[in-house]
């Protein structure tokens, strides 16, 4: 199998200059992480708050450049791309963040939020409206929503719009960073189902990030567990769930809500 996404020895260290001390405090947010994701599969990434999940997500797409390590997407090493090449490659991979309220500009009608993303994806102006309607339809919304502002939508609807926008450039790889954590439990399942439908329909590959291991186990083909920036567990979902190597994995599973645990 040629992996669609491969990550080799990825590290990210933040150094904060202290005003009072001459030394620099270093936070090793991600340490020497390696994994691979096959096309059209879902890798789940779990770990408690502060374990480095979001840092890993940003470093993976070089939104924040990694301190060391290599990332390949569709065989292309991202570090060797120039700025233009990276911008083009980023259309193939998108991140959906936890907070849909912060992700949408409150002053922009939905058609402009989507229009901007379509423009960035190189869609000619005359085609943008039709494509925006199509994007909304994919996430279960309609053309009547185009003229509205974000405040007119519920949290779940906003996350649908954020997902629609992420699809503007026809990406192949989505990083979903706590995509349902800010939503009511009753809405979470709807968004998860939508994400599963979209994956099937477009043959997408996901990195699905959550602090909730039972949710991760519900959707994932393979699972990685981050603890203090290290990948302490990684393997096929069945194996990680049935025979976890680390005590931390067990504790994380016990700490997560029971709703998805029937798998
Ligand atoms: N921009 C940053 N500058 C300095 N430290 C950061 C920055 N972003 C994250 N960190 C630190 O990196 C660690 C991992 O954070 P994060 O990746 O947000 O974890 P998670 O998403 O798992 O909650 C934390 O200790 C956090 O304080
Ligand atoms: Mg995070």
């Amino acid at each position: 199998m040629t992996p669609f996404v491969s990550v080799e020895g990825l590290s990210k260290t933040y150094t904060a200059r202290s005003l009072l001390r001459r030394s620099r405090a270093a936070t090793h947010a991600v340490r020497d992480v390696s994994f691979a994701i096959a096309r059209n599969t879902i890798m789940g990434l779990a770990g408690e708050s502060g374990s480095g999940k979001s840092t890993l997500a940003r470093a993976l797409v070089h939104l924040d450049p990694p301190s060391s390590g290599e990332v390949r997407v569709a065989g292309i090493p991202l570090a060797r791309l120039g700025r233009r090449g990276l911008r083009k490659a980023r259309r193939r991979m998108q991140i959906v963040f936890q907070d849909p309220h912060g992700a949408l500009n409150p002053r922009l009608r939905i058609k402009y939020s989507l229009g901007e993303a379509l423009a960035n994806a190189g869609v000619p102006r005359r085609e943008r409206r039709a494509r925006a309607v199509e994007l909304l339809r994919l996430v279960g919304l309609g053309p009547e929503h185009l003229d509205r502002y974000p405040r007119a939508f519920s949290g779940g609807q906003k996350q649908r719009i954020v997902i629609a926008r992420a699809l503007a450039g026809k990406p192949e790889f989505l990083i979903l960073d706590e995509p349902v954590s800010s939503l009511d439990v009753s809405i979470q399942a709807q968004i998860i189902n939508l994400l599963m439908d979209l994956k099937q329909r477009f043959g997408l590959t996901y990195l699905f990030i959550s602090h909730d291991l039972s949710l991760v186990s519900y959707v994932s083909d393979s699972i990685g567990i981050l603890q203090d920036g290290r990948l302490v567990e990684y393997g096929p979902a069945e194996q990680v769930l049935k025979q976890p190597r680390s005590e931390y994995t067990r504790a994380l599973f016990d700490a997560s809500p029971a709703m998805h645990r029937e798998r």
Side-chain angles (χ1 to χ4, degrees):
M1 169 229 21
T2 329
F4 186 61
V5 176
S6 77
V7 170
E8 202 52 61
L10 193 71
S11 296
K12 178 72 188 182
T13 303
Y14 293 109
T15 46
R17 227 187 288 264
S18 160
L19 284 175
L20 300 174
R21 280 171 296 159
R22 237 166 283 154
S23 64
R24 287 155 158 250
T27 306
H28 300 281
V30 173
R31 315 180 199 213
D32 194 19
V33 167
S34 303
F35 58 80
I37 315 176
R39 195 184 275 275
N40 200 15
T41 69
I42 302 179
M43 172 165 163
L45 185 68
E48 65 192 325
S49 175
S51 59
K53 305 183 297 296
S54 296
T55 301
L56 175 59
R58 288 194 307 267
L60 205 165
V61 299
H62 288 44
L63 215 57
D64 275 346
S67 306
S68 59
E70 188 174 68
V71 177
R72 284 168 188 261
V73 177
I76 304 162
L78 298 190
R80 296 214 201 118
L81 299 173
R83 276 183 56 178
R84 283 186 62 190
L86 195 55
R87 200 173 334 132
K88 228 175 124 192
R90 279 226 195 85
R91 288 182 199 160
R92 306 177 73 167
M93 40 190 188
Q94 291 285 318
I95 306 189
V96 172
F97 293 102
Q98 168 172 357
D99 175 23
H101 314 288
L104 294 170
N105 183 338
R107 293 193 199 83
L108 282 190
R109 293 177 199 270
I110 299 312
K111 64 180 170 191
Y112 296 122
S113 285
L114 294 176
E116 209 169 65
L118 290 164
N120 287 336
V123 175
R125 187 179 293 275
R126 64 181 181 285
E127 292 172 23
R128 284 180 209 157
R129 193 187 162 84
R131 284 276 292 136
V133 171
E134 191 190 331
L135 287 172
L136 285 180
R137 190 174 47 77
L138 286 173
V139 299
L141 297 170
E144 71 276 15
H145 296 116
L146 280 176
D147 285 315
R148 297 191 192 158
Y149 289 94
R151 63 172 175 271
F153 298 94
S154 67
Q157 286 176 317
K158 275 186 219 172
Q159 197 59 305
R160 286 175 191 270
I161 294 163
V162 170
I163 292 166
R165 186 178 61 179
L167 296 174
K170 303 191 173 168
E172 294 154 278
F173 174 46
L174 292 190
I175 298 179
L176 305 156
D177 188 358
E178 307 263 11
V180 299
S181 300
S182 73
L183 305 176
D184 288 349
V185 173
S186 59
I187 307 298
Q188 292 188 2
Q190 295 175 17
I191 299 296
I192 295 293
N193 288 339
L194 170 66
L195 290 168
M196 296 306 121
D197 286 349
L198 292 169
K199 170 182 173 277
Q200 273 324 105
R201 188 160 179 160
F202 298 114
L204 301 173
T205 304
Y206 289 167
L207 179 63
F208 186 99
I209 298 173
S210 175
H211 65 280
D212 179 348
L213 180 54
S214 67
L215 175 58
V216 162
S217 69
Y218 180 71
V219 300
S220 304
D221 300 297
S222 62
I223 294 179
I225 307 286
L226 270 188
Q227 181 185 20
D228 289 334
R230 287 201 179 85
L231 200 64
V232 294
E233 190 105 48
Y234 170 54
E238 293 289 331
Q239 185 192 309
V240 168
L241 297 171
K242 296 222 169 91
Q243 297 153 325
R245 282 173 42 195
S246 85
E247 205 46 51
Y248 182 72
T249 303
R250 235 178 278 267
L252 207 58
F253 202 59
D254 290 340
S256 61
M259 60 183 272
H260 306 290
R261 241 185 260 167
E262 55 274 16
R263 170 162 171 168

